[in-house]
Amino acid sequence: MPIFLEPDQTFEVCLDADKSKPIETRLSFVCLSQSMRGQRSILQAVDLLDEKHSIDEIFDATVSELKRVVVGWKNADRSFAVDDLDNLLTYREARELLIKVAYNQRMDTSEKKD
């Protein structure tokens, strides 16, 4: 079924650096599935990394997209708050997460706990 018919569909994403951690304690982000429109918005923000844009513009676009697509997390040591995202992630981690969300890269069943 096309994603736009199920607009609140979510999936979990795990950063590559956390994949070696035990499933029971591995941090995963709960993210909204993206249609082409959402993918375009994410990839435009990720693609700003050039000399034409200031660091503030690049980071602001990245944080804006994170706040739009990340709706929760699992196995974190604190309750989810969307305003914490830019305090908890590095720019590299934020880009990795956004790219995975843009392509709807879900955790496979071997990466999830039962």
Side-chain angles (χ1 to χ4, degrees):
M1 178 176 294
I3 287 175
F4 76 90
L5 295 177
E6 299 179 64
D8 295 325
Q9 185 178 358
T10 61
F11 63 100
E12 290 180 48
V13 177
C14 176
L15 295 175
D16 291 344
D18 292 329
K19 284 189 175 186
S20 63
K21 295 179 180 173
I23 292 172
E24 298 77 27
T25 60
R26 181 183 307 148
L27 175 64
S28 63
F29 296 88
V30 180
C31 304
L32 293 172
S33 292
Q34 299 298 302
S35 66
M36 285 180 64
R37 179 174 290 156
Q39 291 170 325
R40 176 182 290 146
S41 182
I42 290 171
L43 295 174
Q44 285 173 337
V46 169
D47 201 35
L48 290 178
L49 193 58
D50 61 34
E51 65 277 349
K52 297 177 189 172
H53 298 89
S54 71
I55 294 296
D56 286 340
E57 290 172 320
I58 294 168
F59 278 48
D60 288 347
T62 301
V63 170
S64 177
E65 286 301 304
L66 283 174
K67 289 180 177 182
R68 185 179 68 78
V69 301
V70 179
V71 296
W73 51 46
K74 295 184 178 179
N75 297 325
D77 60 354
R78 62 178 76 197
S79 299
F80 177 75
V82 72
D83 290 329
D84 284 346
L85 289 169
D86 58 334
N87 290 320
L88 298 175
L89 294 171
T90 66
Y91 178 67
R92 186 200 59 76
E93 292 167 336
R95 280 178 56 93
E96 177 188 339
L97 179 58
L98 286 175
I99 290 167
K100 288 182 178 210
V101 173
Y103 295 109
N104 295 309
Q105 290 182 346
R106 293 155 169 73
M107 292 171 61
D108 65 38
T109 53
S110 66
E111 295 176 321
K112 291 182 180 181
K113 65 180 172 183
D114 296 327

PDB file of all heavy atoms in Angstrom, residues 7-34:
ATOM      1  N   PRO A   7      -0.242   7.705   6.548  1.00  0.00           N
ATOM      2  CA  PRO A   7       0.722   8.776   6.837  1.00  0.00           C
ATOM      3  C   PRO A   7       1.430   8.688   8.182  1.00  0.00           C
ATOM      4  O   PRO A   7       2.481   9.291   8.344  1.00  0.00           O
ATOM      5  CB  PRO A   7      -0.125  10.042   6.747  1.00  0.00           C
ATOM      6  CG  PRO A   7      -1.524   9.577   7.006  1.00  0.00           C
ATOM      7  CD  PRO A   7      -1.605   8.191   6.450  1.00  0.00           C
ATOM      8  N   ASP A   8       0.891   7.956   9.124  1.00  0.00           N
ATOM      9  CA  ASP A   8       1.532   7.879  10.441  1.00  0.00           C
ATOM     10  C   ASP A   8       2.288   6.574  10.644  1.00  0.00           C
ATOM     11  O   ASP A   8       2.604   6.207  11.774  1.00  0.00           O
ATOM     12  CB  ASP A   8       0.490   8.059  11.550  1.00  0.00           C
ATOM     13  CG  ASP A   8      -0.118   9.447  11.510  1.00  0.00           C
ATOM     14  OD1 ASP A   8       0.611  10.401  11.171  1.00  0.00           O
ATOM     15  OD2 ASP A   8      -1.316   9.585  11.805  1.00  0.00           O
ATOM     16  N   GLN A   9       2.608   5.872   9.580  1.00  0.00           N
ATOM     17  CA  GLN A   9       3.353   4.619   9.669  1.00  0.00           C
ATOM     18  C   GLN A   9       4.771   4.927  10.164  1.00  0.00           C
ATOM     19  O   GLN A   9       5.428   5.848   9.676  1.00  0.00           O
ATOM     20  CB  GLN A   9       3.394   3.958   8.304  1.00  0.00           C
ATOM     21  CG  GLN A   9       4.036   2.603   8.303  1.00  0.00           C
ATOM     22  CD  GLN A   9       4.003   1.971   6.925  1.00  0.00           C
ATOM     23  OE1 GLN A   9       3.466   2.522   5.977  1.00  0.00           O
ATOM     24  NE2 GLN A   9       4.594   0.804   6.821  1.00  0.00           N
ATOM     25  N   THR A  10       5.241   4.159  11.154  1.00  0.00           N
ATOM     26  CA  THR A  10       6.573   4.379  11.708  1.00  0.00           C
ATOM     27  C   THR A  10       7.429   3.134  11.543  1.00  0.00           C
ATOM     28  O   THR A  10       6.921   2.040  11.281  1.00  0.00           O
ATOM     29  CB  THR A  10       6.518   4.746  13.203  1.00  0.00           C
ATOM     30  OG1 THR A  10       5.930   3.675  13.933  1.00  0.00           O
ATOM     31  CG2 THR A  10       5.759   6.043  13.437  1.00  0.00           C
ATOM     32  N   PHE A  11       8.726   3.321  11.721  1.00  0.00           N
ATOM     33  CA  PHE A  11       9.675   2.224  11.702  1.00  0.00           C
ATOM     34  C   PHE A  11      10.868   2.610  12.563  1.00  0.00           C
ATOM     35  O   PHE A  11      11.054   3.776  12.891  1.00  0.00           O
ATOM     36  CB  PHE A  11      10.107   1.868  10.271  1.00  0.00           C
ATOM     37  CG  PHE A  11      10.838   2.956   9.541  1.00  0.00           C
ATOM     38  CD1 PHE A  11      12.219   2.942   9.447  1.00  0.00           C
ATOM     39  CD2 PHE A  11      10.146   3.987   8.931  1.00  0.00           C
ATOM     40  CE1 PHE A  11      12.901   3.936   8.759  1.00  0.00           C
ATOM     41  CE2 PHE A  11      10.816   4.981   8.238  1.00  0.00           C
ATOM     42  CZ  PHE A  11      12.200   4.961   8.161  1.00  0.00           C
ATOM     43  N   GLU A  12      11.648   1.611  12.961  1.00  0.00           N
ATOM     44  CA  GLU A  12      12.812   1.856  13.814  1.00  0.00           C
ATOM     45  C   GLU A  12      14.084   1.919  12.989  1.00  0.00           C
ATOM     46  O   GLU A  12      14.256   1.164  12.036  1.00  0.00           O
ATOM     47  CB  GLU A  12      12.947   0.736  14.852  1.00  0.00           C
ATOM     48  CG  GLU A  12      11.870   0.765  15.906  1.00  0.00           C
ATOM     49  CD  GLU A  12      12.047  -0.353  16.914  1.00  0.00           C
ATOM     50  OE1 GLU A  12      13.178  -0.550  17.413  1.00  0.00           O
ATOM     51  OE2 GLU A  12      11.049  -1.033  17.190  1.00  0.00           O
ATOM     52  N   VAL A  13      14.976   2.812  13.401  1.00  0.00           N
ATOM     53  CA  VAL A  13      16.273   2.979  12.760  1.00  0.00           C
ATOM     54  C   VAL A  13      17.350   2.909  13.835  1.00  0.00           C
ATOM     55  O   VAL A  13      17.207   3.511  14.903  1.00  0.00           O
ATOM     56  CB  VAL A  13      16.371   4.345  12.036  1.00  0.00           C
ATOM     57  CG1 VAL A  13      17.749   4.556  11.441  1.00  0.00           C
ATOM     58  CG2 VAL A  13      15.298   4.462  10.977  1.00  0.00           C
ATOM     59  N   CYS A  14      18.409   2.197  13.531  1.00  0.00           N
ATOM     60  CA  CYS A  14      19.553   2.086  14.433  1.00  0.00           C
ATOM     61  C   CYS A  14      20.772   2.663  13.729  1.00  0.00           C
ATOM     62  O   CYS A  14      21.013   2.376  12.557  1.00  0.00           O
ATOM     63  CB  CYS A  14      19.784   0.613  14.768  1.00  0.00           C
ATOM     64  SG  CYS A  14      21.218   0.299  15.789  1.00  0.00           S
ATOM     65  N   LEU A  15      21.536   3.494  14.426  1.00  0.00           N
ATOM     66  CA  LEU A  15      22.768   4.025  13.849  1.00  0.00           C
ATOM     67  C   LEU A  15      23.797   2.911  13.739  1.00  0.00           C
ATOM     68  O   LEU A  15      23.835   1.990  14.560  1.00  0.00           O
ATOM     69  CB  LEU A  15      23.313   5.159  14.711  1.00  0.00           C
ATOM     70  CG  LEU A  15      22.438   6.411  14.794  1.00  0.00           C
ATOM     71  CD1 LEU A  15      23.035   7.408  15.775  1.00  0.00           C
ATOM     72  CD2 LEU A  15      22.259   7.042  13.426  1.00  0.00           C
ATOM     73  N   ASP A  16      24.647   2.994  12.732  1.00  0.00           N
ATOM     74  CA  ASP A  16      25.649   1.953  12.499  1.00  0.00           C
ATOM     75  C   ASP A  16      26.541   1.719  13.718  1.00  0.00           C
ATOM     76  O   ASP A  16      26.892   0.585  14.022  1.00  0.00           O
ATOM     77  CB  ASP A  16      26.510   2.303  11.283  1.00  0.00           C
ATOM     78  CG  ASP A  16      25.727   2.222   9.981  1.00  0.00           C
ATOM     79  OD1 ASP A  16      24.628   1.615   9.966  1.00  0.00           O
ATOM     80  OD2 ASP A  16      26.211   2.783   8.979  1.00  0.00           O
ATOM     81  N   ALA A  17      26.894   2.783  14.427  1.00  0.00           N
ATOM     82  CA  ALA A  17      27.780   2.659  15.590  1.00  0.00           C
ATOM     83  C   ALA A  17      27.151   1.855  16.722  1.00  0.00           C
ATOM     84  O   ALA A  17      27.859   1.326  17.580  1.00  0.00           O
ATOM     85  CB  ALA A  17      28.171   4.038  16.100  1.00  0.00           C
ATOM     86  N   ASP A  18      25.824   1.735  16.729  1.00  0.00           N
ATOM     87  CA  ASP A  18      25.128   1.013  17.795  1.00  0.00           C
ATOM     88  C   ASP A  18      24.782  -0.424  17.431  1.00  0.00           C
ATOM     89  O   ASP A  18      24.309  -1.182  18.276  1.00  0.00           O
ATOM     90  CB  ASP A  18      23.848   1.757  18.179  1.00  0.00           C
ATOM     91  CG  ASP A  18      24.123   3.083  18.845  1.00  0.00           C
ATOM     92  OD1 ASP A  18      25.160   3.199  19.535  1.00  0.00           O
ATOM     93  OD2 ASP A  18      23.317   4.014  18.684  1.00  0.00           O
ATOM     94  N   LYS A  19      25.002  -0.820  16.206  1.00  0.00           N
ATOM     95  CA  LYS A  19      24.582  -2.157  15.760  1.00  0.00           C
ATOM     96  C   LYS A  19      25.274  -3.287  16.499  1.00  0.00           C
ATOM     97  O   LYS A  19      24.725  -4.368  16.615  1.00  0.00           O
ATOM     98  CB  LYS A  19      24.792  -2.308  14.257  1.00  0.00           C
ATOM     99  CG  LYS A  19      23.736  -1.584  13.466  1.00  0.00           C
ATOM    100  CD  LYS A  19      23.812  -1.918  12.012  1.00  0.00           C
ATOM    101  CE  LYS A  19      22.643  -1.251  11.305  1.00  0.00           C
ATOM    102  NZ  LYS A  19      22.560  -1.626   9.921  1.00  0.00           N
ATOM    103  N   SER A  20      26.462  -3.052  17.016  1.00  0.00           N
ATOM    104  CA  SER A  20      27.183  -4.118  17.718  1.00  0.00           C
ATOM    105  C   SER A  20      26.735  -4.258  19.182  1.00  0.00           C
ATOM    106  O   SER A  20      27.120  -5.208  19.849  1.00  0.00           O
ATOM    107  CB  SER A  20      28.686  -3.860  17.668  1.00  0.00           C
ATOM    108  OG  SER A  20      28.994  -2.662  18.347  1.00  0.00           O
ATOM    109  N   LYS A  21      25.924  -3.354  19.655  1.00  0.00           N
ATOM    110  CA  LYS A  21      25.449  -3.414  21.042  1.00  0.00           C
ATOM    111  C   LYS A  21      24.351  -4.469  21.164  1.00  0.00           C
ATOM    112  O   LYS A  21      23.665  -4.777  20.192  1.00  0.00           O
ATOM    113  CB  LYS A  21      24.925  -2.047  21.478  1.00  0.00           C
ATOM    114  CG  LYS A  21      26.022  -1.001  21.524  1.00  0.00           C
ATOM    115  CD  LYS A  21      25.494   0.342  21.936  1.00  0.00           C
ATOM    116  CE  LYS A  21      26.644   1.345  21.960  1.00  0.00           C
ATOM    117  NZ  LYS A  21      26.181   2.702  22.194  1.00  0.00           N
ATOM    118  N   PRO A  22      24.164  -5.005  22.365  1.00  0.00           N
ATOM    119  CA  PRO A  22      23.097  -6.000  22.559  1.00  0.00           C
ATOM    120  C   PRO A  22      21.727  -5.413  22.195  1.00  0.00           C
ATOM    121  O   PRO A  22      21.445  -4.247  22.473  1.00  0.00           O
ATOM    122  CB  PRO A  22      23.156  -6.315  24.056  1.00  0.00           C
ATOM    123  CG  PRO A  22      24.506  -5.874  24.493  1.00  0.00           C
ATOM    124  CD  PRO A  22      24.914  -4.746  23.592  1.00  0.00           C
ATOM    125  N   ILE A  23      20.910  -6.234  21.575  1.00  0.00           N
ATOM    126  CA  ILE A  23      19.592  -5.786  21.129  1.00  0.00           C
ATOM    127  C   ILE A  23      18.786  -5.186  22.281  1.00  0.00           C
ATOM    128  O   ILE A  23      18.075  -4.199  22.104  1.00  0.00           O
ATOM    129  CB  ILE A  23      18.833  -6.954  20.474  1.00  0.00           C
ATOM    130  CG1 ILE A  23      19.524  -7.336  19.173  1.00  0.00           C
ATOM    131  CG2 ILE A  23      17.380  -6.603  20.227  1.00  0.00           C
ATOM    132  CD1 ILE A  23      18.987  -8.604  18.535  1.00  0.00           C
ATOM    133  N   GLU A  24      18.926  -5.754  23.465  1.00  0.00           N
ATOM    134  CA  GLU A  24      18.137  -5.307  24.615  1.00  0.00           C
ATOM    135  C   GLU A  24      18.475  -3.881  25.051  1.00  0.00           C
ATOM    136  O   GLU A  24      17.673  -3.221  25.699  1.00  0.00           O
ATOM    137  CB  GLU A  24      18.347  -6.242  25.817  1.00  0.00           C
ATOM    138  CG  GLU A  24      17.914  -7.664  25.577  1.00  0.00           C
ATOM    139  CD  GLU A  24      18.917  -8.462  24.731  1.00  0.00           C
ATOM    140  OE1 GLU A  24      20.128  -8.145  24.745  1.00  0.00           O
ATOM    141  OE2 GLU A  24      18.471  -9.395  24.051  1.00  0.00           O
ATOM    142  N   THR A  25      19.674  -3.417  24.732  1.00  0.00           N
ATOM    143  CA  THR A  25      20.091  -2.082  25.174  1.00  0.00           C
ATOM    144  C   THR A  25      20.392  -1.136  24.014  1.00  0.00           C
ATOM    145  O   THR A  25      20.742   0.017  24.240  1.00  0.00           O
ATOM    146  CB  THR A  25      21.344  -2.174  26.064  1.00  0.00           C
ATOM    147  OG1 THR A  25      22.407  -2.777  25.323  1.00  0.00           O
ATOM    148  CG2 THR A  25      21.052  -2.981  27.321  1.00  0.00           C
ATOM    149  N   ARG A  26      20.270  -1.602  22.805  1.00  0.00           N
ATOM    150  CA  ARG A  26      20.614  -0.809  21.623  1.00  0.00           C
ATOM    151  C   ARG A  26      19.599   0.319  21.417  1.00  0.00           C
ATOM    152  O   ARG A  26      18.399   0.088  21.350  1.00  0.00           O
ATOM    153  CB  ARG A  26      20.626  -1.712  20.401  1.00  0.00           C
ATOM    154  CG  ARG A  26      21.004  -1.000  19.129  1.00  0.00           C
ATOM    155  CD  ARG A  26      20.927  -1.915  17.937  1.00  0.00           C
ATOM    156  NE  ARG A  26      21.706  -3.111  18.165  1.00  0.00           N
ATOM    157  CZ  ARG A  26      21.386  -4.292  17.662  1.00  0.00           C
ATOM    158  NH1 ARG A  26      20.327  -4.432  16.900  1.00  0.00           N
ATOM    159  NH2 ARG A  26      22.138  -5.335  17.902  1.00  0.00           N
ATOM    160  N   LEU A  27      20.098   1.537  21.283  1.00  0.00           N
ATOM    161  CA  LEU A  27      19.243   2.685  21.009  1.00  0.00           C
ATOM    162  C   LEU A  27      18.700   2.595  19.589  1.00  0.00           C
ATOM    163  O   LEU A  27      19.456   2.331  18.649  1.00  0.00           O
ATOM    164  CB  LEU A  27      20.038   3.987  21.169  1.00  0.00           C
ATOM    165  CG  LEU A  27      19.308   5.280  20.808  1.00  0.00           C
ATOM    166  CD1 LEU A  27      18.131   5.517  21.747  1.00  0.00           C
ATOM    167  CD2 LEU A  27      20.274   6.454  20.841  1.00  0.00           C
ATOM    168  N   SER A  28      17.414   2.795  19.451  1.00  0.00           N
ATOM    169  CA  SER A  28      16.817   2.893  18.114  1.00  0.00           C
ATOM    170  C   SER A  28      15.870   4.085  18.104  1.00  0.00           C
ATOM    171  O   SER A  28      15.304   4.468  19.131  1.00  0.00           O
ATOM    172  CB  SER A  28      16.076   1.613  17.729  1.00  0.00           C
ATOM    173  OG  SER A  28      14.994   1.371  18.595  1.00  0.00           O
ATOM    174  N   PHE A  29      15.759   4.691  16.945  1.00  0.00           N
ATOM    175  CA  PHE A  29      14.905   5.859  16.757  1.00  0.00           C
ATOM    176  C   PHE A  29      13.635   5.428  16.039  1.00  0.00           C
ATOM    177  O   PHE A  29      13.691   4.657  15.079  1.00  0.00           O
ATOM    178  CB  PHE A  29      15.624   6.922  15.925  1.00  0.00           C
ATOM    179  CG  PHE A  29      16.837   7.476  16.607  1.00  0.00           C
ATOM    180  CD1 PHE A  29      18.069   6.869  16.449  1.00  0.00           C
ATOM    181  CD2 PHE A  29      16.740   8.581  17.427  1.00  0.00           C
ATOM    182  CE1 PHE A  29      19.196   7.366  17.092  1.00  0.00           C
ATOM    183  CE2 PHE A  29      17.855   9.081  18.076  1.00  0.00           C
ATOM    184  CZ  PHE A  29      19.085   8.471  17.905  1.00  0.00           C
ATOM    185  N   VAL A  30      12.497   5.925  16.500  1.00  0.00           N
ATOM    186  CA  VAL A  30      11.215   5.652  15.862  1.00  0.00           C
ATOM    187  C   VAL A  30      10.950   6.817  14.915  1.00  0.00           C
ATOM    188  O   VAL A  30      10.908   7.980  15.336  1.00  0.00           O
ATOM    189  CB  VAL A  30      10.087   5.512  16.902  1.00  0.00           C
ATOM    190  CG1 VAL A  30       8.760   5.226  16.210  1.00  0.00           C
ATOM    191  CG2 VAL A  30      10.425   4.427  17.918  1.00  0.00           C
ATOM    192  N   CYS A  31      10.810   6.488  13.637  1.00  0.00           N
ATOM    193  CA  CYS A  31      10.726   7.525  12.607  1.00  0.00           C
ATOM    194  C   CYS A  31       9.501   7.316  11.720  1.00  0.00           C
ATOM    195  O   CYS A  31       9.019   6.198  11.563  1.00  0.00           O
ATOM    196  CB  CYS A  31      11.975   7.485  11.734  1.00  0.00           C
ATOM    197  SG  CYS A  31      13.497   7.653  12.673  1.00  0.00           S
ATOM    198  N   LEU A  32       9.036   8.408  11.144  1.00  0.00           N
ATOM    199  CA  LEU A  32       7.913   8.349  10.222  1.00  0.00           C
ATOM    200  C   LEU A  32       8.377   7.882   8.851  1.00  0.00           C
ATOM    201  O   LEU A  32       9.399   8.351   8.344  1.00  0.00           O
ATOM    202  CB  LEU A  32       7.270   9.738  10.075  1.00  0.00           C
ATOM    203  CG  LEU A  32       6.584  10.300  11.303  1.00  0.00           C
ATOM    204  CD1 LEU A  32       6.171  11.747  11.059  1.00  0.00           C
ATOM    205  CD2 LEU A  32       5.384   9.453  11.690  1.00  0.00           C
ATOM    206  N   SER A  33       7.621   6.974   8.243  1.00  0.00           N
ATOM    207  CA  SER A  33       7.901   6.560   6.867  1.00  0.00           C
ATOM    208  C   SER A  33       7.743   7.761   5.947  1.00  0.00           C
ATOM    209  O   SER A  33       6.923   8.648   6.199  1.00  0.00           O
ATOM    210  CB  SER A  33       6.939   5.454   6.430  1.00  0.00           C
ATOM    211  OG  SER A  33       7.198   4.279   7.149  1.00  0.00           O
ATOM    212  N   GLN A  34       8.522   7.763   4.874  1.00  0.00           N
ATOM    213  CA  GLN A  34       8.538   8.921   3.994  1.00  0.00           C
ATOM    214  C   GLN A  34       8.060   8.590   2.589  1.00  0.00           C
ATOM    215  O   GLN A  34       8.467   7.598   2.003  1.00  0.00           O
ATOM    216  CB  GLN A  34       9.966   9.477   3.905  1.00  0.00           C
ATOM    217  CG  GLN A  34      10.519   9.932   5.228  1.00  0.00           C
ATOM    218  CD  GLN A  34       9.727  11.060   5.828  1.00  0.00           C
ATOM    219  OE1 GLN A  34       9.578  12.109   5.214  1.00  0.00           O
ATOM    220  NE2 GLN A  34       9.205  10.851   7.031  1.00  0.00           N
TER     221      GLN A  34
END
